[in-house]
């Protein structure tokens, strides 16, 4: 009887583990390789590196994620002179299955990884490695600047300053480590498009914002708590409809940089001017409480709330954007973690683990009619198929004529949101696009006019 009870407890533990999003939500791939652009060539080039995550293992307390750090969407080019290209990280990341709140002094985020997106790509905070040297009254750190000494009082904001060097999906490499400082959705999907790089070097990012649906879980911070996209339930208890989840930070009303927002007198930074505009430094922001409006986030850019993956509620970070869907400080996580920072990049797995097989899991139907956008329709030369939200499985996409004859086929890999049919060689008429994820299908009629 005792053996039977122990066996049942073990089976129950395994079943519970296999529903933990820190195990099940990573996008896995062992066949598809990535692509990149070089400046002057609008045709993506294969890099031969596997995209997304290659393996997920778990124990009773940890999940281990193997990844090359390469997304399924095309990366590059980086038009600010960045000589680097995204490379194979060959990394193992360790995350707690049950993250915990830090009840003591909060840990600041730092340069380098502060988390990992579900496609295995690195998550960075606001900074770009450049700060203000108050001794020389000049910038320090980063390419072309002297090394910073001591602890600077003013850190430069990468999302504002490095925009010319971001690719279409708002990412770039530090060394060979491709990463996002911000919401990983393509520039040309924003309501106000801040960069025209997608015009020549098109990509789609990890997910597309859908204002009528709760945004997907897009990653995990280094304290183990989940990171969601830009939209969620208006109220933390899961009610109130879908709303944009907003940063509680705003720009300070200052013209000189002499104090931090908490009143601390610090070494002076440069005055606010055309060279160093408000928002140039992270310390130009202040957090403001918004009592009564649960769609605003706390000082860490998160809140405790109900989500589709966590119906009982959990602390969550959000990839904040403004009303135009442009990235909004502090962008992802920070400037401090809410929880205990226990996740890390490791070199080996030193405990017994179980390998998670996503093909054995029950998969939800992500093919929702309202998530599908096909444009232009009618079309004469190119048809784009875009899925709102996040694509968690590889999709097979076929173009049939009205007799049922297969005309063209393409695919959309997990971690992408858009693909195309070139129909310049297709006769005028009515056609049917069918999307299949292995279990479910969705069809839409299109018209080709020449």
């Amino acid at each position: 009887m005792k053996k039977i009870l122990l066996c049942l407890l073990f089976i129950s533990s395994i079943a519970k583990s296999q529903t933990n999003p820190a195990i099940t939500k990573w996008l896995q791939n062992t066949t598809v390789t990535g692509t990149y652009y070089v400046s002057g060539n609008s045709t993506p080039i294969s890099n031969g590196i596997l995209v997304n995550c290659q393996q997920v293992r778990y124990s009773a307390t940890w999940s281990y994620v193997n990844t090359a750090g390469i997304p399924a969407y095309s990366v590059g080019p980086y038009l600010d002179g960045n000589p680097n290209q995204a490379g194979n990280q060959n990394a193992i990341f360790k995350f707690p299955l049950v993250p915990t709140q830090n009840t003591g002094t909060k840990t600041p985020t730092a340069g380098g990884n502060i988390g990992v997106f579900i496609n295995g790509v690195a998550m960075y905070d606001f900074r770009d490695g450049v700060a203000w040297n108050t001794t020389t009254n000049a910038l320090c750190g980063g390419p072309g600047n002297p090394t910073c000494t001591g602890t600077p009082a003013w850190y430069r904001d990468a999302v504002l300053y490095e925009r010319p060097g971001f690719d279409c999906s708002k990412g770039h490499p530090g060394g060979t480590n491709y990463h996002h400082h911000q919401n990983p959705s393509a520039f040309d999907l924003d309501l106000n498009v801040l960069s025209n790089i997608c015009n020549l070097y098109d990509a789609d990012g990890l997910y597309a914002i859908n204002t009528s649906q709760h945004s997907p879980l897009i990653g995990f911070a280094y304290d183990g708590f989940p990171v969601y996209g830009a939209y969620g339930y208006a109220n933390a208890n899961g009610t109130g409809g879908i709303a944009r989840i907003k940063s509680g930070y705003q720009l300070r009303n200052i013209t000189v940089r002499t104090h931090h927002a908490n009143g601390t007198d610090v070494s002076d930074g440069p005055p606010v001017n055309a060279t160093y505009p408000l928002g140039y430094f992270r310390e130009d922001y202040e957090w403001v409480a918004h009592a009564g409006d649960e769609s605003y986030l706390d000082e860490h850019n998160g809140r405790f709330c109900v989500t589709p993956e966590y119906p009982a509620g959990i602390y969550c970070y959000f990839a904040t954007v403004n009303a135009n869907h442009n990235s909004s400080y502090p962008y992802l996580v920070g400037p401090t973690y809410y929880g205990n920072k226990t996740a890390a990049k490791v070199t080996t797995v030193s405990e017994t683990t179980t390998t998670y097989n996503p093909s054995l899991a029950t998969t939800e139907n992500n093919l929702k009619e309202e998530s599908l956008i096909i444009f232009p329709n009618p079309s004469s030369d190119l048809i784009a198929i875009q899925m709102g939200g996040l694509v968690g499985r590889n999709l097979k996409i076929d173009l049939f004529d009205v007799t049922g004859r297969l005309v063209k086929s393409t695919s959309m890999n997990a971690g992408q949101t858009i693909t195309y049919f070139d129909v310049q060689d297709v006769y005028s008429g009515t056609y049917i696009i069918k999307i299949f994820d292995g279990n479910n299908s969705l069809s839409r009629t299109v018209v080709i006019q020449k």
Side-chain angles (χ1 to χ4, degrees), residues 224-241:
F225 286 105
V227 181
Y228 279 84
Y231 279 73
Y233 300 126
N235 300 322
N237 64 3
T239 64

Side-chain angles (χ1 to χ4, degrees), residues 367 372-374 385-387 394-398 400 412 432-438 440-444:
L367 296 181
L372 175 62
I373 301 173
I374 295 177
I385 301 97
Q386 179 183 324
M387 297 297 296
N394 293 342
L395 305 181
K396 184 175 183 293
I397 304 174
D398 296 324
F400 295 93
M412 186 185 299
I432 298 170
I433 290 177
K434 183 176 180 180
I435 303 172
F436 183 60
D437 69 357
N440 308 286
S441 63
L442 187 63
S443 298
R444 183 75 66 83

Side-chain angles (χ1 to χ4, degrees), residues 382-446:
L382 192 73
I383 298 175
I385 301 97
Q386 179 183 324
M387 297 297 296
L390 185 146
V391 175
R393 293 171 65 92
N394 293 342
L395 305 181
K396 184 175 183 293
I397 304 174
D398 296 324
L399 180 68
F400 295 93
D401 65 18
V402 291
T403 70
R405 180 178 66 90
L406 178 63
V407 178
K408 287 179 178 286
S409 291
T410 187
S411 62
M412 186 185 299
N413 296 315
Q416 293 184 288
T417 62
I418 197 166
T419 190
Y420 304 91
F421 279 125
D422 182 346
V423 293
Q424 295 181 87
D425 57 349
V426 176
Y427 293 111
S428 296
T430 300
Y431 293 81
I432 298 170
I433 290 177
K434 183 176 180 180
I435 303 172
F436 183 60
D437 69 357
N439 294 314
N440 308 286
S441 63
L442 187 63
S443 298
R444 183 75 66 83
T445 299
V446 296

Side-chain angles (χ1 to χ4, degrees), residues 260-291:
H260 284 173
N262 63 3
T264 302
D265 188 354
V266 296
S267 299
D268 294 356
V272 177
N273 55 33
T275 304
Y276 304 105
L278 205 59
Y280 189 93
F281 295 102
R282 198 272 310 172
E283 292 77 15
D284 291 346
Y285 289 92
E286 61 183 348
W287 182 79
V288 178
H290 292 78

Side-chain angles (χ1 to χ4, degrees), residues 4 31 56 100 135 170 204 244-245 281 332 339 381 394 430 434 442 444:
I4 294 174
T31 58
V56 176
T100 55
T135 301
K170 302 176 187 168
D204 44 352
R244 178 171 59 88
I245 306 302
F281 295 102
L332 294 165
D381 53 6
N394 293 342
T430 300
K434 183 176 180 180
L442 187 63
R444 183 75 66 83

Side-chain angles (χ1 to χ4, degrees), residues 280-362:
Y280 189 93
F281 295 102
R282 198 272 310 172
E283 292 77 15
D284 291 346
Y285 289 92
E286 61 183 348
W287 182 79
V288 178
H290 292 78
D293 189 342
E294 296 180 6
S295 66
Y296 280 93
L297 301 174
D298 65 15
E299 301 96 317
H300 318 290
N301 215 39
R303 67 177 186 177
F304 189 94
C305 62
V306 168
T307 74
E309 287 78 15
Y310 297 95
I314 194 172
Y315 186 86
C316 305
Y317 300 102
F318 287 83
T320 42
V321 300
N322 64 19
N324 290 319
H325 291 173
N326 304 138
S327 300
S328 179
Y329 177 85
Y331 312 117
L332 294 165
V333 177
T336 52
Y337 296 99
Y338 169 81
N340 292 298
K341 179 179 173 287
T342 56
K345 183 179 179 180
V346 298
T347 55
T348 59
V349 177
S350 57
E351 64 174 327
T352 301
T353 59
T354 300
T355 299
Y356 175 66
N357 186 345
S359 65
L360 300 180
T362 302

Side-chain angles (χ1 to χ4, degrees), residues 82-157:
N82 187 341
N84 300 306
Q85 187 51 267
N88 188 346
Q89 300 307 297
N90 192 26
I92 304 173
F93 291 100
K94 174 183 177 182
F95 285 89
L97 295 184
V98 183
T100 55
Q101 178 186 2
N102 180 359
T103 57
T105 302
K106 301 300 186 183
T107 303
T109 57
N113 281 47
I114 63 164
V116 181
F117 292 99
I118 63 169
N119 59 354
V121 169
M123 182 185 303
Y124 277 31
D125 73 359
F126 66 88
R127 78 193 72 213
D128 67 351
V130 175
W132 186 257
N133 186 326
T134 54
T135 301
T136 62
N137 287 323
L139 295 173
C140 61
N145 298 320
T147 302
C148 294
T149 58
T151 303
W154 306 92
Y155 287 91
R156 193 167 71 179
D157 188 305

